Amino acid sequence: MKKTTVILMVLCLLAAGSAFADPLPLLDDYFDEIVTPVDESDPSAGEFVYSYHYPHADDDAEGGAEINAFYDDLISLSEFESSFNPGTTTITYSVTCNNDDYFSVLVHTVRSSEEQSSEHWDGQVFSRKNGSPGQTWTLPRLLGTLAQNENDSWLQERQTEKADKLLVDMVWELIEDNEEEIDYFPDFTKEQLSHSFFPEENFYLDDTGNPVFYIQPGVAAPETAGLLTYSIPLEDILDEL
């Protein structure tokens, strides 16, 4: 009898734990495709195609409405000028973290034309419990060095600069160690890193909730190396603060 009671208690605790760990439910993507002729009087001139996919959360889920507000604003402010050249801009995303605390995605933008192509990556992190409508979760808030509702601009700037300096140092150490044997540019310097890597923006969360920092393709190594990523456990960062 006692054994049965213990088993039932364990099952109840597991059920309760899984309820608190429910990921954010997602609906059909925010999606659109806009086709603009380069020259309306000359169909042979080609066209410019702009398409996007962004995550669309369930408004009724915890944090869902606040996250949707961010993408509503992003879509309404999007610009899709063709520069009078036929080409495409395609925006897609992948979910990198989805638990009861955080929702994080990595957005990939590819622009291409007959002459050239380019890509850009953008990490977006949201707090499901403490987020504000239309706002991503900043690095100082993730690290706990800045209160959720802190509005002091001087303190915000100070804490951001402090976190940025630390992460530049930590990422540079990983670059020097180069355990993954990445073909970095031989003349790439720490100073160049500090001018092209912005830790308060250039990060997303992995499925364990740890931050992953990144450098855009072509900045520190040839574009063929792709997006350079540096996963740093949160506890390691906190130990250095």
Side-chain angles (χ1 to χ4, degrees):
M1 184 68 178
K2 290 183 178 179
K3 183 178 180 181
T4 302
T5 302
V6 171
I7 292 174
L8 288 173
M9 290 176 63
V10 171
L11 290 174
C12 288
L13 288 172
L14 289 174
S18 63
F20 285 114
D22 283 345
L24 177 69
L26 297 177
L27 308 178
D28 290 342
D29 284 353
Y30 288 113
F31 165 76
D32 199 1
E33 181 177 88
I34 301 169
V35 180
T36 306
V38 173
D39 184 348
E40 293 186 356
S41 63
D42 180 11
S44 66
E47 57 191 20
F48 179 76
V49 181
Y50 176 93
S51 67
Y52 62 79
H53 281 269
Y54 291 117
H56 183 191
D58 184 345
D59 273 319
D60 295 330
E62 184 174 43
E66 289 81 3
I67 293 170
N68 285 342
F70 174 85
Y71 290 106
D72 286 337
D73 290 344
L74 185 62
I75 291 168
S76 67
L77 295 174
S78 294
E79 296 182 359
F80 43 92
E81 296 180 3
S82 67
S83 299
F84 304 104
N85 288 319
T88 62
T89 293
T90 305
I91 302 173
T92 57
Y93 74 93
S94 58
V95 176
T96 61
C97 179
N98 187 2
N99 57 39
D100 59 332
D101 290 317
Y102 296 105
F103 179 72
S104 172
V105 300
L106 186 59
V107 176
H108 187 205
T109 301
V110 178
R111 296 181 174 87
S112 61
S113 66
E114 293 180 356
E115 294 81 16
Q116 60 184 354
S117 64
S118 65
E119 61 177 333
H120 181 83
W121 299 83
D122 185 23
Q124 296 161 353
V125 178
F126 305 90
S127 170
R128 292 187 60 192
K129 299 183 183 301
N130 301 305
S132 299
Q135 295 185 12
T136 54
W137 200 239
T138 65
L139 182 59
R141 287 184 168 86
L142 178 69
L143 299 176
T145 60
L146 199 63
Q148 172 196 351
N149 298 318
E150 180 58 65
N151 294 317
D152 186 326
S153 58
W154 176 85
L155 183 60
Q156 290 176 345
E157 183 176 347
R158 179 177 181 275
Q159 295 297 72
T160 298
E161 289 177 352
K162 182 180 179 181
D164 280 359
K165 183 179 184 304
L166 171 63
L167 266 305
V168 167
D169 289 342
M170 297 183 81
V171 168
W172 180 249
E173 184 175 340
L174 293 174
I175 291 175
E176 288 188 313
D177 292 342
N178 197 15
E179 293 183 357
E180 297 184 5
E181 299 183 351
I182 295 169
D183 186 23
Y184 290 106
F185 294 131
D187 57 350
F188 187 69
T189 66
K190 184 177 180 180
E191 182 179 4
Q192 289 176 312
L193 175 67
S194 67
H195 291 313
S196 56
F197 168 55
F198 308 99
E200 78 277 9
E201 299 176 359
N202 301 153
F203 80 100
Y204 58 91
L205 301 184
D206 63 19
D207 57 3
T208 68
N210 280 316
V212 179
F213 299 90
Y214 58 85
I215 300 175
Q216 299 290 343
V219 172
E223 290 189 2
T224 53
L227 184 72
L228 304 181
T229 60
Y230 308 87
S231 179
I232 304 179
L234 197 57
E235 61 182 19
D236 290 356
I237 302 174
L238 296 175
D239 284 345
E240 296 294 330
L241 279 175

